[in-house]
Amino acid sequence: MKKKARRSQETHTNSVQEECECSDDDPAMFGEKVTLEEHKLSVHYFCLLTSCGVYQRGEEDEGIFGFLVEDIKQEARRSARLTCFGCKKKGACVGCNVRSCRKMVHFPCGRKQMFVSQFTGLFPSYCPDHSPSQSLCTGLDISLPRSCSICLDSIDPVLSYSILKCPFCHTSWFHRDCVQRQAHSAGLFFFRCTLCNNKENFQEEMLRMGIYIPERDASWELEANAYAELLEVYERCDALTCLCNNGCTHSAKSGWFEVIRCRLCGSRGTHRKCSGLKVDTKDWACTDCTQATDGKVHSSISCKRYKLTCQYLIEDAGFVLNCHSLSLRPSLPERSGLPEELLQSLVPRLHPPSVQVEVIGDQALSAGLDLVRRADFDPTQTLSVRLVVKTKEYFLKLLMQQIQECVVFEGPDGSKNLALDSEALREDLYFDVGCLLALSLAHGGPPVGFFSRALYQCLFNYPANRPLNVTHMTPDTHFTHQVTRITEAESLEELKEVMAVSWEYLELAGCNRPISSLKEREALVEDLVSFTIITRMQLPLQRFREGLQTLGVFDQVQLFPSVFCGVFCEAGNHLTAQKIGQLFTISFSEQEEKLTRETPVVTFWRHFLLECEVGRSSISLQDLLHFATGSAKLPAVSAVSSPSISFLHPLTDEGLFPQSEPESKHLLLPVTSSYQAFKSSMEQAISHHGLLK
């Protein structure tokens, strides 16, 4: 910042003092205070800049910031006879820039007397009678309580010398001293409004109102080794009981006693052995991070420092198609980290009215596309399906089957890749299909089950950074045959012949380059596979991901890709007694007498599930699940209203059978005095139900 000489008619004959009478050493308010003992000279930088009769005639390294010592002394002699308007002492060096005004002050006294000094151009100063002012925006409501946007103390929204506002957003008010200290700390490159983040207009206005903005980087950027701690990694086991003989600070390069850091916050760690992890486990999250993200991952420590941060990352995720905030979703039950439970956290609190889905015949996919393409489509509404003698679960199952066979996928059953289809791109079918898959998973539909591992890796980067090869390409396609022929070439001559035949494909992939040896074939094949599966599929993959963002499904899967891999890539959903037991919520009676009779029935129920699983009953778990819910498969996510169990209390045990309400997924268990009576009753009712299907 260079102070140039003023025009002669604007020059006042006053200067700085040889000994600055203000002893304050506050660089933010008065500039740096410099003392030259050999010249018996002490002066503030702002005093030099605002003094009327001294200018920077030297280089930056000469004198004091370019002000020559002889010039400073000459100005001190000239101003020795000028009286300060504030303290009434001699040595006033700052004068009002209005020619008819004769008020003179010391710079520190000028701040007390509400002088405004502009640190730009000719560095003029103005007394309170002639100083610039700000104006209020029309329609601005100043009746609301205000606070300083920097120190956050309460503030009266009345513009004055000590109260300033942002000219851009008109909602940011602050004390003059606060904004001056912020400018001193942030410097020219980081100084901006704390609310609207405006920089150019804000800096221009603050310069006009007398705020000094140093032409340097922010103070925090200038500190030596300011970011050295960012290069440090956490290497300490925080398990409640550390099993390592070398102590909790020991970290091996691999194996049981390598410290694995929390993948969400990185500020806590554990040895694999100490937390019961597998020897090849690389993904692990601490307790509070998994709770904050509504995910259950094996852990043994806490990291409260990052709990709110992780929760914000999940709850502030962006949604497609007007989705409600994830902050409305229920928390996960305190159980294991199963895909069903992780998806359950995404189910919003559905609100009436339900959205009607009209299905003509078995055209579930067409009905689903009509649904998501409606202008008023809201994914948080419950699904009401109009399908003759069928349920919503049947519709979602049929929808998943028809999605697998639509034009956006190619490949064998159970291992589908995305297909490139120009008509599907034009109709944005990739987005719609992704949206339908997310809706199906979140509203209780079956697992996807037909993704290839390559497609799952392209969507969610799991396994992370693993190169694709020719086996990941869709079989029996033109591109796959060409890459296979290149891979199987046994000599350099044969390789060149195959490349010559496939020159159009190589040219399209940017791989039509000369090959001098078979060693270069591996890189060529890798480039061709990457082009075929990833590069040319960028737009379909992007739109498909954006469709999967509906209700936050994509974000949840990306957070726990290893957990959800089976949901997307493994056909079927194996039923177990444990899964069915966890699926149902048991509602006991409030009367103590009934509660006493119901408690043993819960034990009968769990034992009956185990016998069905191991084949000691005449019915299967599929039969039992179909009897209770109307579906023979577990949904990918428990239904919005999870299946429940209550009890039937008869006058006698004879002739009592279980009852089911598939629409509401409610099962009523008979209260019997013995397990044999309970088992017989359950088998007869469910077998009879199976005959009527």
Side-chain angles (χ1 to χ4, degrees):
M1 184 173 292
K2 189 78 170 179
K3 180 180 179 182
K4 300 180 180 179
R6 309 185 189 200
R7 296 192 300 269
S8 59
Q9 61 267 31
E10 294 179 346
T11 305
H12 294 275
T13 58
N14 37 14
S15 179
V16 294
Q17 302 173 356
E18 283 194 8
E19 286 294 336
C20 182
E21 294 185 359
C22 178
S23 60
D24 292 339
D25 188 7
D26 190 343
M29 295 299 164
F30 308 115
E32 184 179 349
K33 187 174 183 179
V34 180
T35 300
L36 299 179
E37 296 291 347
E38 63 274 20
H39 297 286
K40 297 182 180 180
L41 187 67
S42 181
V43 64
H44 289 109
Y45 181 45
F46 291 176
C47 295
L48 290 172
L49 291 177
T50 58
S51 177
C52 297
V54 64
Y55 313 104
Q56 289 173 291
R57 296 193 303 114
E59 300 297 331
E60 289 292 333
D61 57 349
E62 293 185 80
I64 301 177
F65 305 115
F67 292 89
L68 301 180
V69 174
E70 290 301 322
D71 292 346
I72 298 174
K73 289 185 175 182
Q74 181 179 357
E75 181 63 14
R77 290 191 292 269
R78 295 176 61 187
S79 63
R81 55 189 176 86
L82 300 176
T83 303
C84 176
F85 174 74
C87 67
K88 309 302 180 182
K89 296 181 180 180
K90 299 292 184 178
C93 61
V94 180
C96 181
N97 195 52
V98 178
R99 295 180 62 182
S100 60
C101 183
R102 299 298 179 181
K103 292 180 181 178
M104 305 292 299
V105 290
H106 303 104
F107 178 80
C109 296
R111 291 188 58 83
K112 299 177 182 178
Q113 297 299 320
M114 296 186 292
F115 268 61
V116 173
S117 297
Q118 296 178 345
F119 296 93
T120 183
L122 298 175
F123 293 82
S125 298
Y126 299 92
C127 69
D129 296 333
H130 304 111
S131 62
S133 61
Q134 293 184 298
S135 58
L136 289 175
C137 177
T138 304
L140 183 65
D141 186 2
I142 61 175
S143 63
L144 297 175
R146 302 280 180 178
S147 62
C148 174
S149 300
I150 299 174
C151 70
L152 303 182
D153 287 345
S154 59
I155 194 172
D156 293 329
V158 179
L159 291 172
S160 63
Y161 173 80
S162 58
I163 304 297
L164 304 176
K165 72 175 182 65
C166 174
F168 191 76
C169 63
H170 301 289
T171 57
S172 180
W173 295 69
F174 29 73
H175 302 106
R176 174 181 287 271
D177 288 353
C178 291
V179 76
Q180 178 58 78
R181 294 190 184 279
Q182 182 199 13
H184 178 75
S185 176
L188 183 65
F189 300 105
F190 291 93
F191 181 52
R192 60 193 69 200
C193 176
T194 54
L195 288 187
C196 69
N197 211 32
N198 181 273
K199 180 178 178 181
E200 294 183 3
N201 295 346
F202 182 71
Q203 288 190 4
E204 182 180 351
E205 177 71 358
M206 292 303 102
L207 286 172
R208 187 179 73 88
M209 296 305 298
I211 300 301
Y212 172 73
I213 308 174
E215 294 181 355
R216 57 165 171 77
D217 210 340
S219 58
W220 58 82
E221 297 282 352
L222 302 177
E223 298 178 11
N225 298 321
Y227 303 102
E229 65 274 8
L230 297 180
L231 301 177
E232 300 177 2
V233 294
Y234 194 84
E235 291 190 352
R236 179 185 177 88
C237 176
D238 295 300
L240 296 178
T241 303
C242 181
L243 304 177
C244 181
N245 294 331
N246 296 324
C248 57
T249 59
H250 172 74
S251 178
K253 293 183 179 180
S254 60
W256 289 114
F257 294 104
E258 179 185 5
V259 170
I260 305 299
R261 289 178 291 278
C262 174
R263 69 173 178 222
L264 299 180
C265 68
S267 66
R268 291 294 184 270
T270 180
H271 293 126
R272 292 188 178 94
K273 191 73 172 180
C274 301
S275 292
L277 305 177
K278 295 182 179 179
V279 71
D280 59 346
T281 299
K282 295 182 179 179
D283 290 337
W284 172 82
C286 58
T287 301
D288 282 356
C289 281
T290 54
Q291 292 176 355
T293 57
D294 286 342
K296 302 303 169 190
V297 181
H298 185 90
S299 56
S300 63
I301 61 166
S302 65
C303 60
K304 297 180 180 179
R305 175 181 175 187
Y306 288 85
K307 182 175 181 178
L308 293 179
T309 303
C310 296
Q311 187 172 5
Y312 172 80
L313 288 174
I314 298 303
E315 295 188 354
D316 199 44
F319 295 151
V320 181
L321 302 174
N322 234 2
C323 295
H324 289 299
S325 171
L326 282 179
S327 60
L328 299 178
R329 68 177 186 260
S331 299
L332 276 176
E334 292 294 334
R335 295 186 293 196
S336 61
L338 298 175
E340 295 86 353
E341 296 173 338
L342 297 176
L343 283 173
Q344 179 68 56
S345 67
L346 300 178
V347 177
R349 295 177 180 174
L350 302 184
H351 53 81
S354 61
V355 57
Q356 185 72 40
V357 182
E358 298 285 347
V359 183
I360 302 175
D362 285 343
Q363 300 302 312
L365 179 57
S366 298
L369 292 176
D370 291 339
L371 170 66
V372 298
R373 289 172 178 175
R374 294 179 189 176
D376 59 346
F377 170 65
D378 184 351
T380 64
Q381 291 181 334
T382 56
L383 294 178
S384 176
V385 181
R386 183 173 296 177
L387 193 64
V388 180
V389 200
K390 299 296 181 181
T391 63
K392 183 183 75 173
E393 287 70 22
Y394 177 81
F395 164 73
L396 294 176
K397 176 182 177 182
L398 190 62
L399 175 65
M400 194 67 68
Q401 292 174 352
Q402 294 180 7
I403 286 177
Q404 181 177 0
E405 301 302 325
C406 73
V407 296
V408 302
F409 295 105
E410 64 181 8
D413 292 342
S415 183
K416 298 282 188 178
N417 288 326
L418 278 187
L420 184 59
D421 188 282
S422 59
E423 186 176 354
L425 280 173
R426 185 168 58 252
E427 296 177 356
D428 206 12
L429 188 59
Y430 295 94
F431 175 87
D432 295 335
V433 169
C435 181
L436 285 174
L437 285 177
L439 283 174
S440 177
L441 291 173
H443 284 269
V448 179
F450 60 82
F451 278 24
S452 69
R453 298 286 177 169
L455 176 55
Y456 192 80
Q457 182 177 345
C458 291
L459 290 171
F460 306 108
N461 191 27
Y462 179 84
N465 304 318
R466 180 175 295 180
L468 299 173
N469 55 54
V470 68
T471 61
H472 292 109
M473 298 177 67
T474 305
D476 299 326
T477 65
H478 179 63
F479 288 159
T480 305
H481 289 317
Q482 288 179 301
V483 177
T484 302
R485 290 184 61 190
I486 292 175
T487 304
E488 295 175 350
E490 298 180 355
S491 64
L492 181 59
E493 291 72 18
E494 183 181 354
L495 176 59
K496 290 182 177 181
E497 290 179 4
V498 175
M499 291 179 63
V501 174
S502 307
W503 71 269
E504 291 182 344
Y505 174 41
L506 296 174
E507 191 72 28
L508 182 65
C511 298
N512 194 14
R513 55 181 183 255
I515 298 294
S516 58
S517 67
L518 285 176
K519 294 181 180 179
E520 301 176 24
R521 179 177 56 186
E522 183 177 349
L524 174 63
V525 171
E526 184 176 334
D527 291 343
L528 289 173
V529 172
S530 178
F531 166 76
T532 306
I533 299 180
I534 301 176
T535 306
R536 74 185 186 100
M537 299 297 297
Q538 279 299 310
L539 184 55
L541 285 169
Q542 177 185 345
R543 294 302 291 158
F544 192 63
R545 289 190 193 99
E546 291 170 357
L548 285 172
Q549 285 281 4
T550 304
L551 294 176
V553 170
F554 180 86
D555 295 311
Q556 190 75 321
V557 176
Q558 194 172 40
L559 190 61
F560 302 101
S562 60
V563 176
F564 284 97
C565 187
V567 174
F568 285 85
C569 301
E570 295 177 6
N573 196 355
H574 181 62
L575 289 180
T576 63
Q578 180 183 10
K579 286 183 178 180
I580 295 183
Q582 291 178 344
L583 183 66
F584 286 86
T585 301
I586 300 177
S587 301
F588 291 99
S589 301
E590 296 182 358
Q591 299 179 8
E592 185 175 354
E593 181 181 353
K594 289 186 176 182
L595 178 61
T596 303
R597 299 188 63 193
E598 291 170 356
T599 303
V601 178
V602 176
T603 304
F604 297 164
W605 161 252
R606 292 171 179 167
H607 186 65
F608 181 67
L609 291 177
L610 289 174
E611 289 201 339
C612 291
E613 181 179 4
V614 299
R616 294 180 181 175
S617 173
S618 60
I619 64 171
S620 64
L621 290 177
Q622 286 80 5
D623 296 333
L624 175 59
L625 188 62
H626 189 273
F627 173 78
T629 66
S631 174
K633 292 184 178 181
L634 286 173
V637 53
S638 301
V640 176
S641 55
S642 60
S644 59
I645 289 176
S646 59
F647 302 89
L648 288 171
H649 286 269
L651 296 177
T652 62
D653 289 337
E654 297 180 0
L656 183 64
F657 296 99
Q659 300 178 15
S660 64
E661 301 170 359
E663 293 185 358
S664 59
K665 295 181 174 54
H666 184 62
L667 176 64
L668 292 91
L669 297 179
V671 176
T672 61
S673 58
S674 67
Y675 173 71
Q676 290 301 326
F678 177 85
K679 179 179 179 180
S680 176
S681 176
M682 294 290 290
E683 288 179 338
Q684 291 183 52
I686 297 174
S687 298
H688 180 70
H689 176 268
L691 294 175
L692 296 178
K693 289 192 295 181

Coordinates of all heavy atoms in Angstrom, one line a residue, residues 231-258:
L231 N -0.6 -33.6 8.9 CA 0.2 -34.7 8.4 C 0.3 -35.8 9.4 O 0.8 -36.9 9.1 CB 1.6 -34.2 8.1 CG 1.6 -33.0 7.0 CD1 3.1 -32.6 6.9 CD2 1.0 -33.5 5.7
E232 N -0.2 -35.6 10.6 CA -0.2 -36.7 11.6 C -1.4 -37.6 11.5 O -2.5 -37.2 11.1 CB -0.1 -36.1 13.0 CG 1.1 -35.2 13.3 CD 1.0 -34.5 14.6 OE1 0.0 -34.8 15.4 OE2 1.9 -33.7 15.0
V233 N -1.2 -38.9 11.8 CA -2.3 -39.9 11.7 C -2.4 -40.5 13.1 O -1.4 -40.6 13.9 CB -2.0 -41.0 10.7 CG1 -2.1 -40.4 9.3 CG2 -0.7 -41.7 11.0
Y234 N -3.6 -40.8 13.5 CA -3.9 -41.4 14.8 C -3.5 -42.9 14.8 O -3.9 -43.7 14.0 CB -5.4 -41.3 15.1 CG -5.7 -41.5 16.6 CD1 -5.6 -40.5 17.5 CD2 -6.1 -42.7 17.0 CE1 -5.9 -40.7 18.8 CE2 -6.5 -43.0 18.3 CZ -6.4 -41.9 19.2 OH -6.7 -42.1 20.6
E235 N -2.6 -43.2 15.8 CA -2.1 -44.6 15.9 C -2.1 -45.0 17.4 O -1.1 -45.1 18.0 CB -0.7 -44.7 15.3 CG -0.6 -44.6 13.8 CD 0.7 -45.0 13.2 OE1 1.6 -45.2 14.0 OE2 0.8 -45.0 12.0
R236 N -3.3 -45.2 17.9 CA -3.5 -45.6 19.2 C -4.8 -46.5 19.3 O -5.8 -46.2 18.7 CB -3.6 -44.4 20.2 CG -3.8 -44.8 21.6 CD -4.1 -43.6 22.5 NE -4.3 -43.9 23.9 CZ -3.4 -44.1 24.8 NH1 -2.1 -43.9 24.5 NH2 -3.7 -44.4 26.0
C237 N -4.7 -47.6 20.1 CA -5.8 -48.4 20.3 C -6.7 -47.9 21.5 O -6.2 -47.7 22.6 CB -5.4 -49.9 20.6 SG -6.8 -51.0 21.0
D238 N -7.9 -47.6 21.2 CA -8.8 -47.1 22.2 C -9.8 -48.1 22.7 O -10.9 -47.7 23.3 CB -9.5 -45.8 21.6 CG -8.6 -44.7 21.3 OD1 -7.9 -44.2 22.2 OD2 -8.5 -44.3 20.1
A239 N -9.6 -49.4 22.5 CA -10.5 -50.4 23.0 C -10.5 -50.4 24.5 O -9.5 -50.0 25.1 CB -10.1 -51.8 22.4
L240 N -11.6 -50.8 25.1 CA -11.7 -50.7 26.6 C -10.6 -51.7 27.2 O -10.1 -51.4 28.2 CB -13.1 -51.2 27.0 CG -14.2 -50.2 26.6 CD1 -15.6 -50.8 27.1 CD2 -14.0 -48.9 27.2
T241 N -10.4 -52.8 26.5 CA -9.3 -53.7 26.9 C -8.4 -54.0 25.8 O -8.7 -54.6 24.8 CB -9.9 -55.0 27.4 OG1 -10.9 -54.8 28.5 CG2 -8.8 -56.0 27.9
C242 N -7.1 -53.4 25.9 CA -6.2 -53.6 24.8 C -5.4 -54.9 25.1 O -4.9 -55.1 26.1 CB -5.2 -52.4 24.8 SG -3.9 -52.6 23.4
L243 N -5.4 -55.8 24.1 CA -4.8 -57.1 24.2 C -3.3 -57.2 23.7 O -2.7 -58.2 23.7 CB -5.6 -58.2 23.4 CG -7.1 -58.2 23.8 CD1 -7.8 -59.2 22.9 CD2 -7.3 -58.6 25.3
C244 N -2.8 -56.1 23.2 CA -1.5 -56.0 22.7 C -0.4 -56.0 23.8 O -0.5 -55.1 24.7 CB -1.3 -54.8 21.8 SG 0.3 -54.7 21.0
N245 N 0.5 -56.9 23.8 CA 1.6 -56.9 24.8 C 2.5 -55.7 24.8 O 3.1 -55.4 25.8 CB 2.4 -58.2 24.6 CG 1.6 -59.5 24.9 OD1 0.7 -59.5 25.7 ND2 2.0 -60.6 24.3
N246 N 2.6 -55.1 23.6 CA 3.4 -53.9 23.5 C 2.7 -52.6 23.8 O 3.3 -51.5 23.6 CB 4.0 -53.8 22.0 CG 4.9 -55.0 21.7 OD1 5.6 -55.4 22.6 ND2 4.8 -55.5 20.5
G247 N 1.5 -52.7 24.2 CA 0.8 -51.5 24.7 C -0.2 -50.9 23.6 O -0.1 -51.3 22.4
C248 N -1.0 -50.0 24.0 CA -2.0 -49.5 23.1 C -1.5 -48.6 22.0 O -2.1 -48.2 21.1 CB -3.1 -48.7 23.9 SG -2.5 -47.4 24.9
T249 N -0.2 -48.1 22.2 CA 0.4 -47.2 21.2 C 1.1 -47.9 20.1 O 1.6 -47.3 19.2 CB 1.3 -46.2 21.9 OG1 2.4 -46.9 22.6 CG2 0.6 -45.3 22.9
H250 N 1.2 -49.3 20.2 CA 1.9 -50.0 19.2 C 1.0 -50.3 18.0 O -0.2 -50.6 18.2 CB 2.4 -51.4 19.8 CG 2.9 -52.3 18.8 ND1 4.2 -52.2 18.3 CD2 2.4 -53.5 18.2 CE1 4.4 -53.1 17.4 NE2 3.4 -53.9 17.4
S251 N 1.6 -50.1 16.8 CA 0.8 -50.4 15.6 C 1.7 -51.2 14.7 O 2.7 -50.6 14.2 CB 0.3 -49.1 15.0 OG -0.4 -49.4 13.8
A252 N 1.4 -52.4 14.4 CA 2.1 -53.2 13.4 C 1.7 -52.8 12.0 O 0.8 -52.1 11.8 CB 1.8 -54.7 13.6
K253 N 2.5 -53.2 11.0 CA 2.3 -52.8 9.7 C 1.1 -53.6 9.1 O 0.5 -53.2 8.1 CB 3.5 -53.1 8.8 CG 4.7 -52.1 9.2 CD 5.9 -52.3 8.2 CE 7.0 -51.4 8.6 NZ 8.2 -51.5 7.7
S254 N 0.8 -54.8 9.7 CA -0.3 -55.6 9.2 C -0.7 -56.6 10.4 O 0.1 -56.7 11.4 CB 0.0 -56.3 7.9 OG 1.1 -57.2 8.1
G255 N -1.7 -57.3 10.2 CA -2.1 -58.4 11.1 C -3.0 -57.9 12.2 O -3.7 -56.9 12.1
W256 N -3.0 -58.8 13.3 CA -4.0 -58.5 14.4 C -3.7 -57.2 15.1 O -4.7 -56.6 15.6 CB -3.9 -59.7 15.4 CG -4.4 -61.0 14.9 CD1 -3.7 -62.1 14.6 CD2 -5.8 -61.3 14.6 NE1 -4.6 -63.1 14.2 CE2 -5.9 -62.6 14.2 CE3 -7.0 -60.5 14.6 CZ2 -7.1 -63.2 13.8 CZ3 -8.2 -61.1 14.2 CH2 -8.2 -62.5 13.8
F257 N -2.5 -56.8 15.2 CA -2.2 -55.6 16.0 C -1.8 -54.4 15.2 O -1.1 -53.5 15.6 CB -1.1 -55.9 17.0 CG -1.6 -57.0 18.0 CD1 -1.1 -58.3 18.0 CD2 -2.5 -56.6 19.0 CE1 -1.6 -59.2 18.9 CE2 -2.9 -57.6 20.0 CZ -2.5 -58.9 19.9
E258 N -2.4 -54.3 14.0 CA -2.3 -53.1 13.2 C -3.5 -52.2 13.7 O -4.6 -52.6 13.8 CB -2.5 -53.3 11.7 CG -2.5 -52.1 10.9 CD -2.7 -52.3 9.4 OE1 -3.0 -53.5 9.1 OE2 -2.7 -51.4 8.6

